[in-house]
Amino acid sequence: MKEATADLTSAIVVAISVTALVAFFYFTVWPMIKTNFASQTACEQAKCGTRPNAEGMVDCVYKEKDGTEHNITCSYKG
């Protein structure tokens, strides 16, 4: 009976550890990845100026599918 209790305890510890790692990824890492992906996509589809500022950024205009326009700042790619 002690062996079965030890196996159950180990399984619970593993389940809690996996749940903690998944929660960390979902609430911490995933929002950063999603934001970076959205900004990269917007910069690739935007129409940008030709002269970068002192920080190497350029002002761009991103137009969504519904016609709304957003002024964004993207990295200058030359």
Side-chain angles (χ1 to χ4, degrees):
M1 191 68 165
K2 287 183 180 182
E3 293 175 13
T5 304
D7 290 341
L8 179 62
T9 304
S10 297
I12 290 172
V13 168
V14 168
I16 291 172
S17 299
V18 169
T19 303
L21 289 173
V22 168
F24 175 76
F25 177 80
Y26 184 74
F27 291 112
T28 306
V29 178
W30 180 247
M32 289 187 282
I33 293 171
K34 185 177 177 183
T35 302
N36 188 24
F37 179 74
S39 66
Q40 287 290 339
T41 303
C43 283
E44 289 175 3
Q45 296 175 353
K47 294 185 180 183
C48 299
T50 57
R51 296 185 184 241
N53 60 16
E55 299 162 352
M57 304 297 277
V58 64
D59 294 325
C60 303
V61 177
Y62 172 67
K63 191 172 187 179
E64 292 186 19
K65 291 181 180 180
D66 64 357
T68 58
E69 292 183 355
H70 301 283
N71 293 327
I72 59 174
T73 304
C74 300
S75 298
Y76 182 68
K77 296 183 182 175

